[in-house]
Amino acid sequence: MGFQPQIIEGLHAGQSVNMFEVFDKFFNRLKELNKLPSRIIELGTCCGGFTVFLKKHPLVPNNCELYTYDITDWNLSGRDGATKDGREILKSLNIKFIQADIFAEETIKNVKNLIQMEGTSIVFCDGGDKKVEFNLFSEFLKSGDIILAHDYIDTVENFEANFKGKIWDGQEIKESDITGACQKYNLKPFMQEELSKAVWASRMKE
């Protein structure tokens, strides 16, 4: 089934099996637009498998900095089929793991500063409250930056009919949760049809 855990470099990634094809297309499109990321900011490290996937994707530039935030490193110690210690793997790949509350004032300030640095910033919202993460950090995007949120299915009806028990069993964010921020900050869908297959919302700042 599509909601079986994926194992990346020995680490669990809580992602749909569709992630591989979808993010190949995602990064290929960014390459076509000359907007491959200067930095990736992941909110919610969990077990680290998806973090490693992003860092090692062949189209992600070698000099792209990857910052990943989580309130705990417990999940990185290995679970759900993981065979390795994620803390050591992230360190070996020069991934900057920051153990912090992403809603703390100092952390918000630090993430804002990272997003607003020169070059394309991509923010992945995959922590404990994706609605708040998307609506909070989307304010800081520059033109051409992208923000994504995991466990997204646009409507409850679509989730029940087409995803639950088939592709993905969790809906933590839907279209109505992000409409206000998208209008306020001029965020437009970016490859949303494709990203929906891997239950990610995707918006680009115009």
Side-chain angles (χ1 to χ4, degrees):
M1 298 295 286
F3 50 84
Q4 286 183 334
Q6 307 303 308
I7 303 297
I8 310 293
E9 299 289 328
L11 301 178
H12 171 79
Q15 299 289 324
S16 163
V17 68
N18 296 332
M19 64 177 275
F20 301 101
E21 179 182 1
V22 164
F23 281 102
D24 281 350
K25 293 179 179 179
F26 176 79
F27 286 117
N28 267 296
R29 182 61 180 148
L30 290 179
K31 182 179 180 181
E32 292 171 359
L33 295 172
N34 196 29
K35 285 197 169 293
L36 286 170
S38 296
R39 72 203 54 83
I40 291 171
I41 302 159
E42 181 188 39
L43 308 176
T45 313
C46 197
C47 301
F50 186 64
T51 317
V52 171
F53 168 77
L54 292 173
K55 179 67 174 178
K56 297 192 74 172
H57 193 281
L59 288 178
V60 171
N62 290 332
N63 62 352
C64 173
E65 295 187 308
L66 201 160
Y67 302 83
T68 183
Y69 289 80
D70 209 302
I71 200 166
T72 178
D73 69 352
W74 179 83
N75 288 301
L76 285 169
S77 63
R79 67 178 183 87
D80 292 341
T83 58
K84 297 181 181 178
D85 188 324
R87 292 164 293 198
E88 293 302 317
I89 293 177
L90 266 57
K91 184 178 180 181
S92 72
L93 294 172
N94 199 30
I95 294 170
K96 298 170 179 64
F97 171 72
I98 301 101
Q99 186 173 341
D101 178 355
I102 59 173
F103 300 127
E105 183 176 351
E106 187 65 22
T107 311
I108 293 170
K109 179 181 177 181
N110 290 340
V111 172
K112 175 183 177 180
N113 289 339
L114 288 175
I115 292 171
Q116 296 184 339
M117 291 173 66
E118 185 177 355
T120 301
S121 297
I122 302 180
V123 181
F124 288 86
C125 301
D126 202 5
D129 196 335
K130 298 163 181 71
K131 301 175 190 177
V132 176
E133 294 158 24
F134 186 100
N135 289 305
L136 173 62
F137 292 101
S138 58
E139 178 181 359
F140 308 134
L141 300 178
K142 312 180 301 295
S143 177
D145 287 349
I146 298 170
I147 188 166
L148 302 98
H150 192 217
D151 298 300
Y152 164 90
I153 297 103
D154 57 352
T155 66
V156 172
E157 293 77 15
N158 188 23
F159 170 62
E160 293 287 346
N162 300 309
F163 285 84
K164 189 175 182 180
K166 301 172 184 176
I167 297 173
W168 198 248
D169 279 350
Q171 182 191 37
E172 296 186 26
I173 185 168
K174 55 188 184 297
E175 187 63 25
S176 60
D177 296 323
I178 63 176
T179 299
C182 290
Q183 293 175 344
K184 185 175 183 179
Y185 303 126
N186 200 21
L187 310 178
K188 304 300 181 185
F190 180 74
M191 296 189 69
Q192 185 57 70
E193 183 176 354
E194 287 295 334
L195 270 294
S196 291
K197 297 174 184 176
V199 294
W200 282 91
S202 177
R203 298 292 183 273
M204 178 183 280
K205 169 88 170 184
E206 287 201 336

